Amino acid sequence: MGDLIRIHRVRAGLTQRDASEKLLVSESLMGAYERAERIPTMDFLRGADQAFDARGALKACVELMDEEKYAPKILNWVRLERLARVISAYETMLIPGLLQTETYALALYKTRVPAFTESEIERHVQARLERQPVLTRNPPPRLGFVVEESVLDRPLGGDKVFKGQLLHLLECMGTLNHLTFQIMPTKRHTHAGLNGPMKLMATEEGRSLVFVEGQGGDTVIAKPERASDLFDLFGTLRAQALTPWETAELIERKAAQL
């Protein structure tokens, strides 16, 4: 991409200094973009396309960059998620990504082993946050989450970060009428979700899909019979979990302790 930016700048008859002044960036940053030492922002690419009269060549990179943020196996899931009618998930280790604060997501990616680089962390956090407008789109999807109680006892990022995350959860629960958030208590004699976490979606065309994550790899289940079974399983999990009102009271108590 750096070479492409340089080629169109030169074709436009601009020096790096000229281009940096037009695009309101430093000359050193302009050079870093052209040497592929830094990843250009989407706003920069749109502006450069116009400033260099690139006729859409640089602007076309915006969509490609957007999709490069996601692993191939989840890319199609993200595309469908933007228009899904139903989005649900059962989580055993973390707050669901669509409900994470920026600081919680940052803490999460910093714990990764093997470690991500700073630029990789920034890219993953940005990608996560850019998925969250689906929560407030019009018309909104129906949202349902069941999360293990142990997640509330894992203060990723430290007490201050985690308290902010819990308060954010409470705000979402109080303002998003299409959201149902429930905690699965640790002390339960029966539990339908012992096979692990999963994400569920009903698309605008009526298809039911399930995304299963694990150490051995990620799998999208699209076969109607199997997906239907897992939607039924999720319904059982919701029945076994605390009610949304009990959940809110528990989260409030946990936040007060931080």
Side-chain angles (χ1 to χ4, degrees):
M1 189 179 299
D3 286 341
L4 191 63
I5 294 170
R6 177 181 54 79
I7 288 168
H8 283 286
R9 173 182 61 78
V10 172
R11 283 180 177 172
L14 300 172
T15 66
Q16 281 192 354
R17 175 173 293 182
D18 295 334
S20 64
E21 289 176 354
K22 274 181 169 290
L23 296 167
L24 303 179
V25 298
S26 67
E27 189 175 350
S28 61
L29 182 57
M30 187 74 203
Y33 285 159
E34 292 190 1
R35 294 189 300 273
E37 294 173 355
R38 295 284 299 274
I39 299 173
T41 66
M42 296 180 187
D43 285 341
F44 173 86
L45 288 172
R46 294 187 183 101
D49 191 274
Q50 182 175 1
F52 303 163
D53 191 25
R55 301 182 182 182
L58 295 175
K59 193 183 296 185
C61 296
V62 172
E63 184 174 348
L64 294 175
M65 284 180 58
D66 189 38
E67 296 193 341
E68 283 178 359
K69 296 173 185 175
Y70 306 104
K73 285 188 177 180
I74 199 174
L75 177 56
N76 196 47
W77 184 271
V78 172
R79 289 170 176 163
L80 292 171
E81 183 180 68
R82 292 165 183 162
L83 295 173
R85 293 188 301 107
V86 178
I87 299 173
S88 302
Y90 165 56
E91 296 286 357
T92 61
M93 302 294 291
L94 300 164
I95 301 297
L98 290 177
L99 300 175
Q100 289 177 8
T101 63
E102 182 174 359
T103 51
Y104 181 88
L106 183 63
L108 163 62
Y109 284 113
K110 284 185 174 181
T111 66
R112 200 255 196 180
V113 178
F116 283 131
T117 65
E118 287 299 317
S119 61
E120 287 174 328
I121 291 172
E122 181 181 353
R123 178 167 57 87
H124 283 293
V125 171
Q126 183 183 8
R128 178 143 298 185
L129 297 178
E130 286 178 357
R131 292 170 64 185
Q132 294 183 358
V134 73
L135 298 175
T136 53
R137 72 158 203 249
N138 188 24
R142 296 198 305 275
L143 302 164
F145 300 98
V146 176
V147 176
E148 285 292 328
E149 183 179 0
S150 58
V151 172
L152 301 184
D153 296 317
R154 185 176 299 113
L156 285 179
D159 288 353
K160 182 178 180 180
V161 167
F162 195 60
K163 183 171 185 175
Q165 174 63 74
L166 295 183
L167 294 177
H168 178 67
L169 277 179
L170 290 171
E171 181 181 2
C172 290
M173 294 171 68
T175 59
L176 300 178
N177 295 330
H178 52 286
L179 167 67
T180 300
F181 187 89
Q182 297 172 260
I183 291 294
M184 173 65 76
T186 301
K187 293 185 177 180
R188 275 287 189 262
H189 297 294
T190 58
H191 194 311
L194 297 181
N195 284 334
M198 59 182 176
K199 296 178 175 64
L200 308 95
M201 179 195 304
T203 70
E204 58 179 342
E205 297 87 10
R207 296 171 61 202
S208 295
L209 303 171
V210 182
F211 188 79
V212 179
E213 302 173 275
Q215 297 284 359
D218 304 332
T219 303
V220 174
I221 297 172
K223 189 175 181 180
E225 297 84 356
R226 180 61 179 144
S228 178
D229 287 345
L230 291 172
F231 267 76
D232 288 345
L233 186 153
F234 183 74
T236 302
L237 278 172
R238 294 180 67 169
Q240 294 173 342
L242 298 177
T243 67
W245 302 275
E246 293 169 332
T247 294
E249 291 174 355
L250 176 60
I251 293 173
E252 288 172 351
R253 290 198 301 271
K254 295 287 186 180
Q257 295 169 4
L258 296 173

